[in-house]
Amino acid sequence: MPVIRHAESRRTETPNAVMTTLASPTQGGSGQAVWRVDMRPGQAGPPHAIDAEQVWTVLDGGATVELDGEKLTVGPGDTLVIPADVPRRLSSDQAAGFVAIVVAPAGMRAYVVGDTRVSADCAIPDGDKLLPAWVA
């Protein structure tokens, strides 16, 4: 069982957060992708969907998650299970920001909802979907 050292973690900065890859196919050969999300206070991710289930556990701060038209609030210790193909948008707490650990199948792909544009630094095009850089 390989050990992935902290120094080997990969950081991807998006306009809204920093994603730190802890395990992925290119880091340890995992069939799961595990990453840490750090969002500054008051940031919001783009509306999007993922073609696989994700599990988010909040470590610090809080967030409002718009999930298929419903608004949910999460805080430290809460775990959010997001089903595949459900539109979502996450907004960090205005004062505390948001920190979470996320686990998803390594082969997951994202796709945009609406007119969202994704930076080439954040994802690799894969047909009509995107491979987020932090799960590769």
Side-chain angles (χ1 to χ4, degrees), residues 71-133:
K71 285 192 177 185
L72 306 167
T73 303
V74 295
D78 292 343
T79 296
L80 178 67
V81 179
I82 303 178
D85 300 309
V86 173
R88 85 273 310 267
R89 184 172 194 192
L90 190 136
S91 301
S92 67
D93 183 88
Q94 291 290 329
F98 177 72
V99 179
I101 295 290
V102 185
V103 178
M108 65 160 253
R109 299 295 191 265
Y111 52 100
V112 296
V113 177
D115 294 330
T116 302
R117 298 290 177 252
V118 178
S119 166
D121 296 333
C122 301
I124 302 161
D126 184 15
D128 61 344
K129 295 186 179 179
L130 300 164
L131 173 64

Side-chain angles (χ1 to χ4, degrees), residues 51-90:
D51 65 4
E53 178 182 86
Q54 291 183 324
V55 178
W56 293 62
T57 297
V58 182
L59 302 178
D60 197 16
T64 299
V65 183
E66 297 173 42
L67 192 59
D68 203 20
E70 181 181 0
K71 285 192 177 185
L72 306 167
T73 303
V74 295
D78 292 343
T79 296
L80 178 67
V81 179
I82 303 178
D85 300 309
V86 173
R88 85 273 310 267
R89 184 172 194 192
L90 190 136

